Amino acid sequence: DAGVTQSPTHLIKTRGQQVTLRCSPISGHKSVSWYQQVLGQGPQFIFQYYEKEERGRGNFPDRFSARQFPNYSSELNVNALLLGDSALYLCASTLMRDQETQYFGPGTRLLVL
Amino acid sequence: AQSVTQLGSHVSVSEGALVLLRCNYSSSVPPYLFWYVQYPNQGLQLLLKYTTGATLVKGINGFEAEFKKSETSFHLTKPSAHMSDAAEYFCAVSVGGGTSYGKLTFGQGTILTVHP
C-alpha cells in the first residue's frame, strides 16, 4: 500500500508570497495532521483535520490555514511568507480507530528567500 | 501541557555497541509515547510506541523502550548498533483530547552516529 504522499517535494518562494502544500493520506485513513520542522529542531504541530473539520490547532499565526477534502486529502496554505517559514513541512495520517499512531510523509521542503 | 526532553543532542557509538537514547516527558495525564527515526532528507518513521499495558515495548530494527512512570522516562535502547542505525531520533508524547487532539509533541531530537 502507498504511504502518505506530499507534493511538491521542494519549493522556493520569496517573502510576502503565498504557498500551498498538498498531502494524500494512507488509503483508509481519515485524519491528517500538519507539522513544521525547522532545521535542527523537532516537528511542531500546526493542525489536525478529521472528516473535513479542524480538530486540533497548534500555536501558529493566522497566516497558516488548511483544509481537508472529501477524499481526505489536505492542503496547507501559508500567506505572507516570512524568512522564518523556511522549514520541512510534514503531513501525517491517522487511522481513527488507532488514532494515536501517526504515519508521516516525506515532507515538503520550503525555502523562503 | 505536555513536553519532551531528549538528553544529548548527539550520541556516538561504535558498531556493535549498546545504543541508549534518553527521553523524559512531562504530562498531567497518562501519555502515549513514541519514538520516530528520521533519515537525511526523509520524513519520520515510527520505531515503536507505548499506549497502555506492558511497559517494555519492542519496535522495528531491534529497538526497544521501557516506560518508567516513576522516572517519567521512555529511553530507547538497542543491544548492538549497526551502521544503518545512523540517523536522527525523536521522542514524542501525545495525550489526545480537547485542543490537544491529534497533537504529537516532539523532543529536539538526538543525532546518532555509528563508527566502524
Side-chain angles (χ1 to χ4, degrees):
Chain A
D1 286 342
V4 177
T5 59
Q6 294 185 242
S7 63
T9 56
H10 294 80
L11 205 51
I12 300 175
K13 293 286 188 178
T14 57
R15 282 178 297 175
Q17 286 189 312
Q18 175 265 339
V19 68
T20 298
L21 311 180
R22 297 175 176 83
C23 171
S24 293
I26 292 171
S27 177
H29 286 197
K30 298 183 178 181
S31 178
V32 168
S33 296
W34 287 95
Y35 293 81
Q36 180 196 64
Q37 185 180 17
V38 173
L39 194 64
Q41 297 183 19
Q44 298 287 318
F45 175 74
I46 309 175
F47 289 113
Q48 190 194 44
Y49 276 77
Y50 172 63
E51 292 287 8
K52 295 170 288 181
E53 291 188 10
E54 181 183 304
R55 298 300 186 98
R57 186 181 187 98
N59 187 24
F60 279 81
D62 292 342
R63 299 185 296 108
F64 288 77
S65 64
R67 57 179 175 168
Q68 187 177 34
F69 299 98
N71 66 353
Y72 304 111
S73 67
S74 178
E75 288 182 351
L76 175 70
N77 294 284
V78 187
N79 295 320
L81 285 167
L82 303 174
L83 296 180
D85 295 331
S86 296
L88 179 67
Y89 288 85
L90 295 163
C91 173
S93 76
T94 307
L95 181 65
M96 287 313 294
R97 70 179 185 185
D98 186 23
Q99 64 185 14
E100 300 299 336
T101 302
Q102 298 191 21
Y103 299 90
F104 285 81
T108 293
R109 188 163 296 282
L110 171 65
L111 177 62
V112 182
L113 301 175
Chain B
Q2 62 272 24
S3 66
V4 175
T5 301
Q6 291 184 238
L7 302 175
S9 58
H10 291 80
V11 170
S12 180
V13 300
S14 299
E15 191 173 20
L18 172 71
V19 175
L20 171 60
L21 304 182
R22 300 177 187 274
C23 172
N24 288 89
Y25 70 91
S26 172
S27 174
S28 58
V29 297
Y32 292 171
L33 295 160
F34 304 82
W35 276 100
Y36 284 87
V37 61
Q38 186 175 36
Y39 297 99
N41 300 313
Q42 294 188 24
L44 301 174
Q45 180 183 8
L46 180 68
L47 277 178
L48 50 79
K49 66 177 181 180
Y50 168 80
T51 53
T52 58
T55 57
L56 182 61
V57 179
K58 296 187 183 299
I60 62 171
N61 301 337
F63 284 94
E64 62 182 35
E66 185 171 11
F67 171 61
K68 292 187 177 180
K69 183 178 179 180
S70 61
E71 299 177 8
T72 61
S73 69
F74 191 58
H75 301 331
L76 182 71
T77 61
K78 182 175 181 178
S80 177
H82 191 272
M83 297 294 290
S84 61
D85 294 328
E88 189 162 19
Y89 292 79
F90 292 95
C91 181
V93 62
S94 171
V95 297
T99 57
S100 296
Y101 192 93
K103 175 182 177 180
L104 281 173
T105 300
F106 287 86
Q108 292 289 87
T110 298
I111 295 173
L112 176 66
T113 303
V114 182
H115 297 288

